Amino acid sequence: MNSYLDIIFRSASVYLFMLIALRIFGKKELSQLNTSDVILILLISNSVQNAMVGNDTSLLGGISAAVILFIINYALKKLMYKSQRFNDFMQEKPEILIHDGILDFEKLSKLSITSGELEEAMREHGVEHFSGVKLAMLEIDGNISIISGDKNLRQTHYRRLKRTKKAIG
């Protein structure tokens, strides 16, 4: 097989593998990278490099691999835009954490979100008590959005940090 076709096939295979792996292991954590996550990404990129380019360490081989990754990524984004079914498959849905002041403890436990994290997000949105939260959502990018019953809403940005699992208290 032509070495560049081999690079294209290998790069596409690694891209699809990584896409599936991220889907299985959770994309929500991707927006909150800590030290171990950065190390994991660096090690994965190093470990799959040879799987993509094989013995071809030339500039053209590396560029070929990069180009095919950009093309696949572009095509997937277009497909997600055009097909709601495919988009639903690829993207996780936002999760409701609090509705009208009532916490969904089952959802919080499933998502490993502590009450401390939720309280931190509320404080950053200017809300003191759970009862003051009309709606709290974990968005698909890992952010926690808070809507209060207060008419003087403040728009802030809270990014949930990936933390060790603790009991919801």
Side-chain angles (χ1 to χ4, degrees):
M1 184 192 308
N2 181 340
S3 66
Y4 295 112
L5 287 177
D6 188 42
I7 290 172
I8 290 170
F9 175 74
R10 287 168 170 263
S11 298
S13 298
V14 168
Y15 185 93
L16 294 175
F17 166 77
M18 292 302 298
L19 192 65
I20 292 167
L22 285 174
R23 183 73 173 120
I24 291 170
F25 291 106
K27 291 189 301 188
K28 287 181 183 171
E29 305 304 334
L30 207 53
S31 67
Q32 307 90 26
L33 298 177
N34 62 27
T35 304
S36 65
D37 295 327
V38 172
I39 291 169
L40 176 66
I41 289 172
L42 291 172
L43 291 175
I44 287 173
S45 66
N46 191 38
S47 68
V48 300
Q49 175 191 3
N50 291 339
M52 288 193 298
V53 295
N55 294 329
D56 187 343
T57 58
S58 68
L59 176 62
L60 195 54
I63 290 174
S64 299
V67 166
I68 194 64
L69 293 175
F70 278 113
I71 290 170
I72 292 170
N73 192 57
Y74 178 80
L76 284 176
K77 289 192 183 240
K78 282 292 189 186
L79 187 59
M80 288 170 59
Y81 178 74
K82 291 184 185 253
S83 169
Q84 185 62 43
R85 181 176 285 180
F86 186 68
N87 187 44
D88 291 345
F89 171 74
M90 294 297 290
Q91 299 264 15
E92 294 186 27
K93 299 286 183 228
E95 304 278 358
I96 296 175
L97 307 175
I98 303 174
H99 187 263
D100 290 330
I102 300 170
L103 282 77
D104 186 340
F105 290 104
E106 187 176 315
K107 189 80 59 171
L108 290 168
S109 177
K110 176 184 162 210
L111 297 169
S112 301
I113 298 174
T114 65
S115 60
E117 287 177 302
L118 209 47
E119 290 168 349
E120 182 180 350
M122 290 168 32
R123 286 191 300 273
E124 291 197 13
H125 285 81
V127 180
E128 285 186 69
H129 304 286
F130 292 117
S131 60
V133 176
K134 184 175 180 181
L135 186 66
M137 308 233 1
L138 179 65
E139 304 294 351
I140 60 175
D141 64 356
N143 292 320
I144 296 177
S145 297
I146 305 279
I147 298 173
S148 70
D150 188 4
K151 296 198 185 333
N152 301 321
L153 292 176
R154 282 194 243 165
Q155 184 176 10
T156 60
H157 184 76
Y158 176 78
R159 183 167 299 271
R160 179 176 171 252
L161 298 174
K162 184 177 178 184
R163 300 184 182 171
T164 58
K165 293 183 180 180
K166 298 178 188 174
I168 306 280

